[in-house]
Amino acid sequence: MDEPRALRADEVLIAIRAAGIGNWDNIIRYGGWDVGVSPPLALGVEAAGVIKAVGTRPGGFRVGDEVLCHPVPLRGQGTWAPFVIAPVASLAHKPREITWETAAIFPVPALTAEQVVGEALALRAGETFLVHGAGGITGGLMVQLAALRGVDVLATAGPRSVDRVRGHGAREVIDYRDQMWPKHARALARDSIDAVANAAPGGAAAAMTALADHSRLATITPDPPASARGIAVTAVYVRSDGAQLDYLSALLASGRLSVPTPRSCGLDQAAAALAHVVAGHEPRGVVITRNPTKSSPHTSRTSPPSEES
């Protein structure tokens, strides 16, 4: 488009500085997530940038404000573009302490983690909580948010992620490649795991076997098992929430949350970068920026993401 369309009252125009790439973009690409716009469209559902124009009801945001957002449902194209039109309700102010790249990969994982830990599972201090697939950004944030609530956290992750997940606040980290991991988790918790969050592709059914009767399971994958043994099962699909994102961004800026430093690429490398993310080769995340780092992803065929991602 030569110029974006005219803004509605509750919209802003954002000049993108960095846009996140995630597994969800591949799901959108193949029709598994309705983001409110029919193809063809630019992908991308999280970004950070500078407000260039505002509607008549900007909700306290002004031209020149630095923001991050998860603007879904989209009101036009996605964030893999120079500009995006976003609803005011999806915006959070970008703290000065956060780089553009970190701000761009933060919205979807952070909102997902908070909506699992704080809403779907409503974790309380003193409970025992297991995160299956804590090696990725979203699972790592679940560990951190639960630990901040005073929850006893167990986790599964791959070998290269163990130290990082422990640093996030997990008491014990189990190798997800061990097929007996649910048994090990139950033993560590003395058969009293109150809740499990599944962030591992295809892992929801196994995660449920780690739970005690009458407990609760939340999964962010599209394969929730049927409820059994009185276990409450919730499939969590991230929603846009600017106020929640503001709160989470403040935690990140203060150092109470952390995420890996992502690698950046140019827009011309987005397809290869997405293939690498989907294949599980970029657990720290990738962003599209105007001034990417020199490293670029090797082209690879799209394949199911690994549990390490």
Side-chain angles (χ1 to χ4, degrees), residues 115-117 119-123 128-132 142 181 193-200 203-221 223-236:
Q115 288 162 20
V116 166
V117 168
E119 297 177 3
L121 297 177
L123 292 172
T128 300
F129 171 52
L130 170 68
V131 180
H132 180 37
M142 291 179 190
W181 72 259
I193 297 175
D194 299 294
V196 170
N198 175 60
M208 191 166 176
T209 66
L211 279 166
D213 294 351
H214 306 290
S215 48
R216 50 207 196 276
L217 167 72
T219 183
I220 62 173
T221 60
D223 58 345
S227 178
R229 297 187 287 119
I231 297 172
V233 177
T234 306
V236 177

Short mmCIF file of all heavy atoms in Angstrom, two decimals, residues 115-117 119-123 128-132 142 181 193-200 203-221 223-236:
data_model
loop_
_atom_site.label_atom_id
_atom_site.label_comp_id
_atom_site.label_asym_id
_atom_site.label_seq_id
_atom_site.Cartn_x
_atom_site.Cartn_y
_atom_site.Cartn_z
N GLN A 115 -1.91 -15.53 30.97
CA GLN A 115 -3.28 -16.02 30.86
C GLN A 115 -3.41 -17.48 31.25
O GLN A 115 -4.48 -17.93 31.66
CB GLN A 115 -3.81 -15.75 29.44
CG GLN A 115 -4.06 -14.27 29.22
CD GLN A 115 -4.17 -13.84 27.77
OE1 GLN A 115 -4.41 -14.67 26.88
NE2 GLN A 115 -3.97 -12.55 27.50
N VAL A 116 -2.30 -18.23 31.18
CA VAL A 116 -2.28 -19.59 31.70
C VAL A 116 -2.13 -19.59 33.21
O VAL A 116 -2.93 -20.19 33.95
CB VAL A 116 -1.13 -20.40 31.05
CG1 VAL A 116 -0.88 -21.69 31.82
CG2 VAL A 116 -1.44 -20.71 29.60
N VAL A 117 -1.09 -18.91 33.69
CA VAL A 117 -0.73 -18.95 35.12
C VAL A 117 -1.73 -18.21 35.99
O VAL A 117 -2.17 -18.71 37.04
CB VAL A 117 0.69 -18.38 35.32
CG1 VAL A 117 0.99 -18.14 36.79
CG2 VAL A 117 1.72 -19.31 34.70
N GLU A 119 -4.86 -16.85 35.02
CA GLU A 119 -6.29 -16.95 34.73
C GLU A 119 -6.76 -18.40 34.63
O GLU A 119 -7.58 -18.84 35.44
CB GLU A 119 -6.60 -16.19 33.43
CG GLU A 119 -6.32 -14.70 33.52
CD GLU A 119 -6.54 -13.97 32.21
OE1 GLU A 119 -6.97 -14.60 31.22
OE2 GLU A 119 -6.30 -12.76 32.17
N ALA A 120 -6.27 -19.14 33.63
CA ALA A 120 -6.76 -20.50 33.41
C ALA A 120 -6.49 -21.39 34.61
O ALA A 120 -7.36 -22.16 35.04
CB ALA A 120 -6.11 -21.09 32.16
N LEU A 121 -5.29 -21.30 35.20
CA LEU A 121 -4.94 -22.13 36.35
C LEU A 121 -5.09 -21.41 37.68
O LEU A 121 -5.20 -22.06 38.72
CB LEU A 121 -3.50 -22.65 36.21
CG LEU A 121 -3.25 -23.55 34.99
CD1 LEU A 121 -1.78 -23.94 34.92
CD2 LEU A 121 -4.12 -24.80 35.05
N ALA A 122 -5.10 -20.08 37.64
CA ALA A 122 -5.25 -19.26 38.86
C ALA A 122 -4.38 -19.79 39.98
O ALA A 122 -4.84 -20.08 41.10
CB ALA A 122 -6.73 -19.22 39.29
N LEU A 123 -3.08 -19.90 39.73
CA LEU A 123 -2.16 -20.48 40.69
C LEU A 123 -2.06 -19.65 41.96
O LEU A 123 -2.08 -18.42 41.91
CB LEU A 123 -0.77 -20.62 40.06
CG LEU A 123 -0.65 -21.65 38.93
CD1 LEU A 123 0.71 -21.54 38.26
CD2 LEU A 123 -0.89 -23.06 39.45
N THR A 128 1.88 -26.67 44.00
CA THR A 128 2.93 -27.27 43.19
C THR A 128 2.48 -27.28 41.74
O THR A 128 1.38 -27.75 41.42
CB THR A 128 3.24 -28.70 43.66
OG1 THR A 128 3.68 -28.66 45.02
CG2 THR A 128 4.34 -29.31 42.80
N PHE A 129 3.34 -26.79 40.88
CA PHE A 129 3.00 -26.52 39.48
C PHE A 129 4.09 -27.09 38.59
O PHE A 129 5.28 -26.94 38.87
CB PHE A 129 2.88 -25.01 39.30
CG PHE A 129 2.73 -24.53 37.88
CD1 PHE A 129 1.76 -25.05 37.04
CD2 PHE A 129 3.55 -23.51 37.40
CE1 PHE A 129 1.62 -24.57 35.73
CE2 PHE A 129 3.41 -23.02 36.11
CZ PHE A 129 2.45 -23.55 35.28
N LEU A 130 3.69 -27.75 37.51
CA LEU A 130 4.63 -28.31 36.55
C LEU A 130 4.45 -27.64 35.19
O LEU A 130 3.31 -27.53 34.70
CB LEU A 130 4.41 -29.81 36.40
CG LEU A 130 5.16 -30.51 35.26
CD1 LEU A 130 6.66 -30.53 35.52
CD2 LEU A 130 4.62 -31.93 35.06
N VAL A 131 5.55 -27.20 34.58
CA VAL A 131 5.53 -26.67 33.20
C VAL A 131 6.20 -27.70 32.31
O VAL A 131 7.39 -27.97 32.45
CB VAL A 131 6.25 -25.32 33.09
CG1 VAL A 131 6.20 -24.83 31.65
CG2 VAL A 131 5.65 -24.29 34.03
N HIS A 132 5.44 -28.28 31.40
CA HIS A 132 5.99 -29.23 30.43
C HIS A 132 6.37 -28.45 29.17
O HIS A 132 5.51 -27.91 28.49
CB HIS A 132 4.96 -30.30 30.10
CG HIS A 132 5.44 -31.33 29.12
ND1 HIS A 132 6.74 -31.79 29.10
CD2 HIS A 132 4.79 -31.98 28.10
CE1 HIS A 132 6.86 -32.69 28.12
NE2 HIS A 132 5.70 -32.81 27.51
N MET A 142 6.19 -18.84 31.93
CA MET A 142 5.26 -19.49 32.87
C MET A 142 5.98 -19.83 34.17
O MET A 142 5.43 -19.62 35.27
CB MET A 142 4.69 -20.77 32.25
CG MET A 142 3.73 -20.55 31.10
SD MET A 142 3.18 -22.17 30.47
CE MET A 142 2.33 -21.68 28.97
N TRP A 181 9.17 -39.20 32.34
CA TRP A 181 9.20 -37.92 33.05
C TRP A 181 7.94 -37.68 33.89
O TRP A 181 8.06 -37.08 34.98
CB TRP A 181 9.46 -36.76 32.08
CG TRP A 181 8.34 -36.41 31.15
CD1 TRP A 181 8.22 -36.75 29.84
CD2 TRP A 181 7.19 -35.61 31.46
NE1 TRP A 181 7.05 -36.24 29.32
CE2 TRP A 181 6.41 -35.53 30.29
CE3 TRP A 181 6.74 -34.97 32.62
CZ2 TRP A 181 5.21 -34.84 30.23
CZ3 TRP A 181 5.53 -34.26 32.57
CH2 TRP A 181 4.79 -34.21 31.38
N ILE A 193 0.92 -32.84 42.59
CA ILE A 193 0.99 -31.74 41.63
C ILE A 193 -0.42 -31.16 41.48
O ILE A 193 -1.36 -31.86 41.11
CB ILE A 193 1.54 -32.20 40.27
CG1 ILE A 193 2.98 -32.70 40.44
CG2 ILE A 193 1.49 -31.08 39.24
CD1 ILE A 193 3.58 -33.29 39.17
N ASP A 194 -0.55 -29.88 41.76
CA ASP A 194 -1.86 -29.25 41.71
C ASP A 194 -2.28 -28.82 40.30
O ASP A 194 -3.47 -28.81 39.98
CB ASP A 194 -1.86 -28.00 42.61
CG ASP A 194 -1.58 -28.34 44.06
OD1 ASP A 194 -2.43 -29.02 44.67
OD2 ASP A 194 -0.51 -27.96 44.57
N ALA A 195 -1.28 -28.45 39.48
CA ALA A 195 -1.61 -27.94 38.14
C ALA A 195 -0.43 -28.18 37.21
O ALA A 195 0.72 -28.17 37.63
CB ALA A 195 -1.94 -26.45 38.21
N VAL A 196 -0.77 -28.37 35.94
CA VAL A 196 0.24 -28.53 34.89
C VAL A 196 -0.10 -27.59 33.74
O VAL A 196 -1.27 -27.45 33.36
CB VAL A 196 0.31 -29.98 34.36
CG1 VAL A 196 1.18 -30.05 33.11
CG2 VAL A 196 0.86 -30.92 35.42
N ALA A 197 0.94 -26.94 33.19
CA ALA A 197 0.80 -26.18 31.95
C ALA A 197 1.60 -26.89 30.88
O ALA A 197 2.79 -27.18 31.08
CB ALA A 197 1.31 -24.76 32.13
N ASN A 198 0.96 -27.20 29.77
CA ASN A 198 1.66 -27.85 28.67
C ASN A 198 1.99 -26.84 27.59
O ASN A 198 1.11 -26.22 27.00
CB ASN A 198 0.81 -28.97 28.06
CG ASN A 198 1.50 -29.56 26.84
OD1 ASN A 198 2.62 -30.07 26.95
ND2 ASN A 198 0.87 -29.44 25.69
N ALA A 199 3.31 -26.68 27.33
CA ALA A 199 3.78 -25.82 26.25
C ALA A 199 4.54 -26.62 25.21
O ALA A 199 5.21 -26.04 24.36
CB ALA A 199 4.66 -24.71 26.81
N ALA A 200 4.45 -27.94 25.28
CA ALA A 200 5.19 -28.82 24.37
C ALA A 200 4.26 -29.34 23.29
O ALA A 200 3.20 -29.90 23.60
CB ALA A 200 5.79 -29.99 25.15
N GLY A 203 2.23 -32.65 23.62
CA GLY A 203 2.54 -33.12 24.97
C GLY A 203 1.41 -33.08 25.96
O GLY A 203 1.61 -33.42 27.14
N ALA A 204 0.23 -32.66 25.56
CA ALA A 204 -0.85 -32.45 26.52
C ALA A 204 -1.29 -33.74 27.21
O ALA A 204 -1.51 -33.77 28.42
CB ALA A 204 -2.04 -31.78 25.84
N ALA A 205 -1.43 -34.83 26.46
CA ALA A 205 -1.90 -36.08 27.04
C ALA A 205 -0.90 -36.62 28.06
O ALA A 205 -1.28 -37.06 29.16
CB ALA A 205 -2.15 -37.11 25.95
N ALA A 206 0.40 -36.56 27.73
CA ALA A 206 1.41 -37.01 28.68
C ALA A 206 1.43 -36.14 29.92
O ALA A 206 1.60 -36.63 31.04
CB ALA A 206 2.79 -37.02 28.01
N ALA A 207 1.26 -34.83 29.73
CA ALA A 207 1.27 -33.91 30.86
C ALA A 207 0.14 -34.23 31.83
O ALA A 207 0.30 -34.11 33.05
CB ALA A 207 1.14 -32.47 30.36
N MET A 208 -0.98 -34.67 31.29
CA MET A 208 -2.12 -34.98 32.15
C MET A 208 -1.83 -36.16 33.08
O MET A 208 -2.32 -36.22 34.21
CB MET A 208 -3.35 -35.27 31.30
CG MET A 208 -4.65 -35.35 32.06
SD MET A 208 -6.04 -35.29 30.91
CE MET A 208 -7.41 -35.51 32.04
N THR A 209 -0.97 -37.10 32.62
CA THR A 209 -0.68 -38.27 33.45
C THR A 209 0.17 -37.93 34.67
O THR A 209 0.29 -38.75 35.58
CB THR A 209 0.05 -39.35 32.62
OG1 THR A 209 1.34 -38.88 32.24
CG2 THR A 209 -0.75 -39.73 31.38
N ALA A 210 0.77 -36.74 34.68
CA ALA A 210 1.56 -36.31 35.84
C ALA A 210 0.69 -35.78 36.97
O ALA A 210 1.16 -35.59 38.09
CB ALA A 210 2.57 -35.25 35.43
N LEU A 211 -0.58 -35.54 36.69
CA LEU A 211 -1.45 -34.85 37.64
C LEU A 211 -2.13 -35.80 38.62
O LEU A 211 -2.46 -36.94 38.29
CB LEU A 211 -2.53 -34.07 36.89
CG LEU A 211 -2.12 -32.71 36.32
CD1 LEU A 211 -3.16 -32.21 35.34
CD2 LEU A 211 -1.91 -31.70 37.45
N ALA A 212 -2.39 -35.27 39.80
CA ALA A 212 -3.24 -35.95 40.76
C ALA A 212 -4.70 -35.79 40.36
O ALA A 212 -5.04 -34.93 39.54
CB ALA A 212 -3.00 -35.38 42.16
N ASP A 213 -5.57 -36.61 40.91
CA ASP A 213 -7.01 -36.47 40.65
C ASP A 213 -7.49 -35.09 41.12
O ASP A 213 -6.94 -34.51 42.06
CB ASP A 213 -7.79 -37.56 41.38
CG ASP A 213 -7.50 -38.96 40.84
OD1 ASP A 213 -6.82 -39.06 39.80
OD2 ASP A 213 -7.95 -39.93 41.48
N HIS A 214 -8.52 -34.61 40.44
CA HIS A 214 -9.18 -33.36 40.81
C HIS A 214 -8.21 -32.17 40.83
O HIS A 214 -8.30 -31.28 41.69
CB HIS A 214 -9.88 -33.50 42.18
CG HIS A 214 -10.81 -34.66 42.24
ND1 HIS A 214 -12.00 -34.69 41.54
CD2 HIS A 214 -10.72 -35.86 42.89
CE1 HIS A 214 -12.62 -35.83 41.76
NE2 HIS A 214 -11.87 -36.56 42.57
N SER A 215 -7.30 -32.16 39.88
CA SER A 215 -6.37 -31.04 39.73
C SER A 215 -6.71 -30.32 38.42
O SER A 215 -7.85 -30.42 37.95
CB SER A 215 -4.93 -31.54 39.76
OG SER A 215 -4.76 -32.65 38.90
N ARG A 216 -5.74 -29.62 37.80
CA ARG A 216 -6.09 -28.85 36.61
C ARG A 216 -4.93 -28.80 35.62
O ARG A 216 -3.77 -28.77 36.00
CB ARG A 216 -6.57 -27.45 36.99
CG ARG A 216 -5.68 -26.68 37.93
CD ARG A 216 -6.53 -25.67 38.72
NE ARG A 216 -5.69 -24.65 39.37
CZ ARG A 216 -5.10 -24.83 40.55
NH1 ARG A 216 -5.22 -25.97 41.20
NH2 ARG A 216 -4.37 -23.84 41.07
N LEU A 217 -5.31 -28.77 34.35
CA LEU A 217 -4.37 -28.77 33.24
C LEU A 217 -4.75 -27.65 32.28
O LEU A 217 -5.92 -27.48 31.94
CB LEU A 217 -4.41 -30.11 32.50
CG LEU A 217 -3.72 -30.16 31.13
CD1 LEU A 217 -2.20 -30.12 31.29
CD2 LEU A 217 -4.12 -31.43 30.37
N ALA A 218 -3.73 -26.89 31.84
CA ALA A 218 -3.92 -25.90 30.78
C ALA A 218 -2.92 -26.21 29.69
O ALA A 218 -1.74 -26.47 29.98
CB ALA A 218 -3.74 -24.48 31.30
N THR A 219 -3.34 -26.20 28.45
CA THR A 219 -2.43 -26.42 27.33
C THR A 219 -2.57 -25.30 26.32
O THR A 219 -3.67 -24.80 26.08
CB THR A 219 -2.66 -27.79 26.66
OG1 THR A 219 -1.69 -27.98 25.62
CG2 THR A 219 -4.07 -27.90 26.08
N ILE A 220 -1.43 -24.91 25.74
CA ILE A 220 -1.45 -23.86 24.71
C ILE A 220 -1.34 -24.49 23.32
O ILE A 220 -1.15 -23.79 22.34
CB ILE A 220 -0.33 -22.83 24.93
CG1 ILE A 220 1.06 -23.48 24.82
CG2 ILE A 220 -0.51 -22.15 26.27
CD1 ILE A 220 2.20 -22.47 24.85
N THR A 221 -1.48 -25.81 23.27
CA THR A 221 -1.45 -26.53 22.00
C THR A 221 -2.87 -26.93 21.62
O THR A 221 -3.75 -27.02 22.47
CB THR A 221 -0.58 -27.79 22.14
OG1 THR A 221 -1.12 -28.64 23.16
CG2 THR A 221 0.86 -27.41 22.51
N ASP A 223 -4.44 -29.57 21.13
CA ASP A 223 -4.75 -30.99 21.32
C ASP A 223 -5.15 -31.27 22.76
O ASP A 223 -4.63 -32.20 23.39
CB ASP A 223 -3.54 -31.85 20.94
CG ASP A 223 -2.28 -31.50 21.75
OD1 ASP A 223 -2.27 -30.44 22.39
OD2 ASP A 223 -1.32 -32.29 21.74
N PRO A 224 -6.09 -30.51 23.34
CA PRO A 224 -6.43 -30.75 24.74
C PRO A 224 -7.07 -32.12 24.92
O PRO A 224 -7.98 -32.49 24.16
CB PRO A 224 -7.43 -29.62 25.04
CG PRO A 224 -8.01 -29.26 23.71
CD PRO A 224 -6.89 -29.43 22.73
N PRO A 225 -6.61 -32.89 25.90
CA PRO A 225 -7.24 -34.19 26.16
C PRO A 225 -8.60 -34.01 26.84
O PRO A 225 -8.88 -32.96 27.41
CB PRO A 225 -6.24 -34.88 27.09
CG PRO A 225 -5.56 -33.74 27.80
CD PRO A 225 -5.49 -32.62 26.81
N ALA A 226 -9.41 -35.04 26.75
CA ALA A 226 -10.70 -35.01 27.43
C ALA A 226 -10.47 -35.06 28.94
O ALA A 226 -9.53 -35.68 29.42
CB ALA A 226 -11.56 -36.18 26.99
N SER A 227 -11.33 -34.38 29.67
CA SER A 227 -11.23 -34.39 31.12
C SER A 227 -11.43 -35.81 31.66
O SER A 227 -12.25 -36.57 31.15
CB SER A 227 -12.26 -33.45 31.73
OG SER A 227 -12.21 -33.49 33.13
N ALA A 228 -10.65 -36.15 32.67
CA ALA A 228 -10.77 -37.46 33.32
C ALA A 228 -10.28 -37.33 34.75
O ALA A 228 -9.52 -36.42 35.08
CB ALA A 228 -9.95 -38.51 32.57
N ARG A 229 -10.71 -38.24 35.61
CA ARG A 229 -10.30 -38.27 37.02
C ARG A 229 -10.57 -36.94 37.73
O ARG A 229 -9.88 -36.56 38.66
CB ARG A 229 -8.81 -38.63 37.15
CG ARG A 229 -8.47 -40.01 36.64
CD ARG A 229 -7.01 -40.38 36.93
NE ARG A 229 -6.08 -39.66 36.08
CZ ARG A 229 -5.14 -38.84 36.52
NH1 ARG A 229 -5.01 -38.57 37.81
NH2 ARG A 229 -4.31 -38.25 35.66
N GLY A 230 -11.57 -36.21 37.24
CA GLY A 230 -11.91 -34.94 37.86
C GLY A 230 -10.96 -33.81 37.54
O GLY A 230 -11.01 -32.75 38.18
N ILE A 231 -10.08 -34.00 36.57
CA ILE A 231 -9.11 -32.97 36.19
C ILE A 231 -9.78 -31.96 35.26
O ILE A 231 -10.37 -32.33 34.24
CB ILE A 231 -7.88 -33.60 35.49
CG1 ILE A 231 -7.15 -34.53 36.45
CG2 ILE A 231 -6.95 -32.52 34.96
CD1 ILE A 231 -6.05 -35.36 35.81
N ALA A 232 -9.69 -30.69 35.61
CA ALA A 232 -10.23 -29.61 34.77
C ALA A 232 -9.21 -29.31 33.67
O ALA A 232 -8.05 -29.03 33.95
CB ALA A 232 -10.49 -28.37 35.61
N VAL A 233 -9.64 -29.38 32.41
CA VAL A 233 -8.75 -29.17 31.26
C VAL A 233 -9.17 -27.90 30.53
O VAL A 233 -10.34 -27.71 30.20
CB VAL A 233 -8.81 -30.37 30.29
CG1 VAL A 233 -7.94 -30.11 29.06
CG2 VAL A 233 -8.39 -31.65 31.00
N THR A 234 -8.19 -27.02 30.28
CA THR A 234 -8.44 -25.76 29.58
C THR A 234 -7.45 -25.60 28.44
O THR A 234 -6.24 -25.76 28.65
CB THR A 234 -8.29 -24.55 30.52
OG1 THR A 234 -9.13 -24.73 31.66
CG2 THR A 234 -8.68 -23.26 29.81
N ALA A 235 -7.96 -25.31 27.25
CA ALA A 235 -7.10 -24.94 26.12
C ALA A 235 -7.03 -23.42 26.08
O ALA A 235 -8.07 -22.75 26.02
CB ALA A 235 -7.66 -25.48 24.81
N VAL A 236 -5.84 -22.88 26.15
CA VAL A 236 -5.66 -21.43 26.21
C VAL A 236 -5.19 -20.90 24.87
O VAL A 236 -4.18 -21.35 24.33
CB VAL A 236 -4.62 -21.06 27.31
CG1 VAL A 236 -4.38 -19.55 27.32
CG2 VAL A 236 -5.11 -21.53 28.67
#
